[in-house]
Amino acid sequence: MSLFDHSIKEIEAKLHNKEITVSDLVDESYKRIHEVEDEVHAFLTLDEENARRKAKELDATEDTEAKLFGIPAGIKDNIVTKGLRTTCASQFLRNFDDPLYDATVVEKLYAEKIVNIGKLNMDEFAMGSSNENSSFTPTRNPWNTNHVPGGSSGGSAAAVAAGEVLFSLGSDTGGSIRQPAAFCGVVGLKPTYGLVSRFGLVAFASSLDQIGPLTRSVEDNARVLEVIAGHDKMDSTSANVEIPSYTEALTGDVKGLKIAVPKEYLAEGVNPEVKEAILEALKVYESLGATWEEVSLPHSKYAVATYYLLSSSEASANLARFDGVRYGVRSENAENMIDMFKKSRSEGFGEEVKRRIMLGTFALSSGYYDAYYKKAQKVRKLIKNDFDKIFEDYDVVIGPTTPTPAFKVGEKMADPLTMYANDILTIPVNLAGVPGISIPCGFSPEGLPIGLQIIGKHFDESTVYRAAHAYEQATDHHTKRPQIGGAN
């Protein structure tokens, strides 16, 4: 049995019927990891001993009613896991081997009896769009290992695409779930800001970060969100809202759905094959009874500049705690305290992290705060207002997730500004705090996946899932699998 061949719901039925055991699932997961990991590099830390022990415990119980009973999963390495190394793919935390607590999302997953296979690779401290900023090793795209998987949740997307786990958790600050989901041909959701607890997520930009699921199907994604969503008293930004049954929204019916298509999302810079795939997807929605109209998000052209000022400013504050004193790697070459601070941070952080800390510190400094940070906050409000205005008349916004399919490894590393522009279509969603999902909608002539992005109103993930599921059921893009490691 291949993990590729079954949804979470199907595996749940097999477990209930005693056709398979949890140990079988864990065996299959590690077997697949050993087959492809030398090429993919999705994992930074495997937890095989504990996973097999947990599987045996679950096999011995008669209570199999948990929502994700026995399902093998991977956790992005900036989400804290008790007793399991959490590095944020940074040399600064390479010795953070024994965290003292689990993140709230991890506690919720454990309560529903998942099996944690290990911690997944990422761009260092979630800063990057290609996974090439991991200080350990870059992750590769399972569809073509000469190409990047996207970032920063590249390991989370690649592990699901390659069949190593059935679902994973990532984090999304400016597109870090949706962009790698698009590049790797899987489903990735960035929830409404505040829907999922950030307690235990190592902060990059606190007003933008959100944890979300990556899966092979929309239904699997909705099942995972039902588990991890909800109010958390440990997170002051957590929203106290009722969590519906997202899977009940998956009716396949989108008759009367009103779709907005921003003209800016199909403008210059979007590859012709990507634009064509989106227009074909809109034809599918028309055939299902939905309607669409072109609209404008006039302030979206300022989103990239706004995002990098705000996120870097918050990062410069959040990463100030990494000083070599309390935890993390301390430089052995320091002669005094100031030297220790300086050398620990210089040696521990990679180039991209240093670049963003410097940009953020500059934007927050005396004489520049009003000119940059404060102005960026005002533009953020205008971007949110654009979405609010559109959602007065439309149910969802649809466009491409990324302007191009996955680019080659090393192709953009020398040009940070070009790399930053790759997130131009995902960043506005984080600035506005609304939910967005990426689902497969086609392939480039080279066989690389293309992602369709569906954006919804605040806390209206149900409509986002309904629209995504209807398209998925009317097409077969989500059934395609990469051939890495041989036939799957």
Side-chain angles (χ1 to χ4, degrees), residues 158-433:
V160 173
E164 296 175 295
V165 290
L166 272 162
F167 78 89
S168 65
L169 291 188
S171 67
D172 193 312
T173 308
S176 289
I177 288 173
R178 290 158 290 149
Q179 187 246 25
F183 280 4
C184 292
V186 297
V187 178
L189 176 86
K190 196 288 290 186
T192 304
Y193 183 80
L195 183 69
V196 177
S197 172
R198 293 186 300 109
F199 181 72
L201 173 68
V202 179
F204 164 15
S206 302
S207 74
L208 299 162
D209 298 339
Q210 269 293 271
I211 295 171
L214 294 103
T215 58
R216 286 197 200 91
S217 72
V218 174
E219 183 180 22
D220 284 358
N221 206 278
R223 290 170 72 93
V224 177
L225 186 65
E226 286 177 356
V227 170
I228 65 173
H231 182 251
D232 179 18
K233 65 181 181 180
M234 301 297 288
D235 176 6
S236 62
T237 63
S238 177
N240 192 359
V241 295
E242 184 177 347
I243 306 303
S245 172
Y246 297 116
T247 51
E248 289 183 3
L250 309 182
T251 62
D253 180 14
V254 289
K255 289 179 182 177
L257 186 78
K258 298 179 69 176
I259 299 169
V261 181
K263 61 183 180 181
E264 293 83 2
Y265 282 25
L266 294 174
E268 185 180 354
V270 176
N271 274 22
E273 64 258 34
V274 173
K275 184 175 181 179
E276 182 181 348
I278 302 308
L279 294 176
E280 287 298 318
L282 291 171
K283 290 179 182 177
V284 173
Y285 278 110
E286 287 179 333
S287 71
L288 295 172
T291 60
W292 68 275
E293 294 178 351
E294 186 176 85
V295 299
S296 178
L297 291 171
H299 296 98
S300 61
K301 61 185 176 182
Y302 306 115
V304 173
T306 299
Y307 168 81
Y308 279 98
L309 279 169
L310 294 178
S311 64
S312 297
S313 296
E314 293 184 26
S316 72
N318 280 325
L319 269 62
R321 71 193 72 178
F322 298 100
D323 53 15
V325 176
R326 288 157 288 190
Y327 51 84
V329 174
R330 179 184 297 185
S331 174
E332 298 177 356
N333 304 314
E335 297 180 0
N336 54 54
M337 184 179 69
I338 300 300
D339 203 35
M340 185 266 290
F341 288 154
K342 185 187 298 183
K343 288 189 174 181
S344 294
R345 289 170 67 81
S346 296
E347 296 168 10
F349 291 139
E351 291 303 312
E352 182 60 30
V353 175
K354 292 176 188 176
R355 185 181 293 120
R356 299 200 195 192
I357 289 173
M358 292 295 289
L359 173 60
T361 303
F362 173 80
L364 292 174
S365 62
S366 177
Y368 296 100
Y369 177 91
D370 287 345
Y372 294 103
Y373 181 78
K374 188 175 180 180
K375 186 175 289 185
Q377 288 285 27
K378 291 179 178 179
V379 176
R380 179 180 187 173
K381 177 65 173 174
L382 294 175
I383 291 170
K384 178 185 178 297
N385 290 346
D386 286 347
F387 278 105
D388 290 344
K389 185 176 180 181
I390 284 177
F391 284 131
E392 290 176 3
D393 300 312
Y394 299 92
D395 299 307
V396 293
V397 173
I398 283 182
T401 308
T402 60
T404 68
F407 47 88
K408 288 185 176 181
V409 174
E411 188 176 324
K412 298 186 178 182
M413 280 299 285
D415 187 357
L417 292 180
T418 300
M419 183 79 82
Y420 295 167
N422 197 66
D423 298 329
I424 192 169
L425 302 174
T426 53
I427 281 171
V429 174
N430 297 80
L431 292 172

Side-chain angles (χ1 to χ4, degrees), residues 141-159:
N141 192 317
W143 291 90
N144 186 329
T145 54
N146 292 321
H147 291 250
V148 303
S152 63
S153 305
S156 299

